[in-house]
Amino acid sequence: MFLDFSTLNARDAYLWMSSTITPRPVAWVSSLSEQGVANLAPFSFFQMITGSPPTLMISPIVQTDNGKKDTARNIEQSGEFVVNLVPYAMRNIMNETSFSYDGQTSEFDACGVERSPSELVRPPRVAGVPVSFECRLASFTPYPADKPSCYVIFGEVVAAHIDEAVLTEKGRVDPVRLDLLSRMGGNWYGRTSGDENFELARPEGWQK
């Protein structure tokens, strides 16, 4: 099967890419509006960019009315956000927060999500997740520049909160204990806990 993407509409291109570029980690992003409303929304267009400086990326799409999602608007205005990683146990409540509430409604309150205070940024964290990254805005770029379909947001990680229950006896993160969700195509999700996980050692000479 050959797909010439120049012949596809935006929706079909999205569906083919999102159903094949899998699994994708889920960023459960909390932000704060200028009015102090705490927003919470999941994004699977999310990735680590570099460790120096520690930077991650999320990419909220442009709304059908060409406006910004609450998350994008809040981050652009405040310069701060928190990326919470979603455990399997919180899959349903995460899904509830993907509903399009108006900007004056906090998903924390509407969906009954417990919050915890952050240390270095103002937006709250999600209580009970295994990992949260406190971030400050590094760059906010509409893409493509002439007719944006999304906003590529880089956030510099200034702090992390890691549940010690997901660490091994050697102090390393155990992916099975972490048990995070990953996004696949359609309504499908994966998880990091399972018998199919495996390790591969680096090739000989890697350290050289």
Side-chain angles (χ1 to χ4, degrees), residues 37-86:
V37 178
N39 179 266
L40 182 62
F43 296 89
S44 68
F45 287 10
F46 157 56
Q47 194 52 263
M48 173 182 174
I49 298 300
T50 180
S52 180
T55 305
L56 51 78
M57 179 274 296
I58 63 169
S59 181
I61 62 173
V62 172
Q63 298 284 65
T64 54
D65 63 358
N66 292 322
K68 294 184 178 74
K69 286 180 174 288
D70 294 337
T71 298
R73 183 179 62 253
N74 292 348
I75 292 173
E76 185 179 32
Q77 291 174 348
S78 72
E80 298 179 335
F81 60 104
V82 179
V83 169
N84 306 276
L85 302 186
V86 188

Side-chain angles (χ1 to χ4, degrees), residues 8-9 12 17 27-28 54 65 85-86 98 106 116 118 120 127 130 147 153-154 164-165 174 193 206:
L8 300 180
N9 60 41
D12 286 341
M17 293 180 69
W28 206 6
D65 63 358
L85 302 186
V86 188
S98 67
S106 170
S116 290
S118 297
L120 302 181
K147 190 178 180 181
I153 300 173
F154 282 16
E164 293 185 6
D174 182 337
S193 177
W206 174 264

Side-chain angles (χ1 to χ4, degrees), residues 31-167:
S31 60
L32 208 60
S33 74
E34 288 186 325
Q35 294 73 36
V37 178
N39 179 266
L40 182 62
F43 296 89
S44 68
F45 287 10
F46 157 56
Q47 194 52 263
M48 173 182 174
I49 298 300
T50 180
S52 180
T55 305
L56 51 78
M57 179 274 296
I58 63 169
S59 181
I61 62 173
V62 172
Q63 298 284 65
T64 54
D65 63 358
N66 292 322
K68 294 184 178 74
K69 286 180 174 288
D70 294 337
T71 298
R73 183 179 62 253
N74 292 348
I75 292 173
E76 185 179 32
Q77 291 174 348
S78 72
E80 298 179 335
F81 60 104
V82 179
V83 169
N84 306 276
L85 302 186
V86 188
Y88 178 76
M90 299 180 76
R91 62 195 182 280
N92 291 325
I93 198 167
M94 176 278 298
N95 193 41
E96 290 296 320
T97 64
S98 67
F99 184 79
S100 295
Y101 293 95
D102 63 71
Q104 301 307 309
T105 300
S106 170
E107 287 80 3
F108 281 96
D109 299 332
C111 301
V113 181
E114 185 179 353
R115 65 184 83 187
S116 290
S118 297
E119 294 291 334
L120 302 181
V121 299
R122 289 170 295 168
R125 300 179 287 122
V126 174
V129 299
V131 182
S132 294
F133 295 108
E134 298 185 19
C135 302
R136 292 201 177 103
L137 179 61
S139 69
F140 189 101
T141 307
Y143 181 83
D146 56 339
K147 190 178 180 181
S149 63
C150 68
Y151 299 95
V152 180
I153 300 173
F154 282 16
E156 183 172 344
V157 177
V158 295
H161 303 260
I162 301 176
D163 186 346
E164 293 185 6
V166 305
L167 302 181

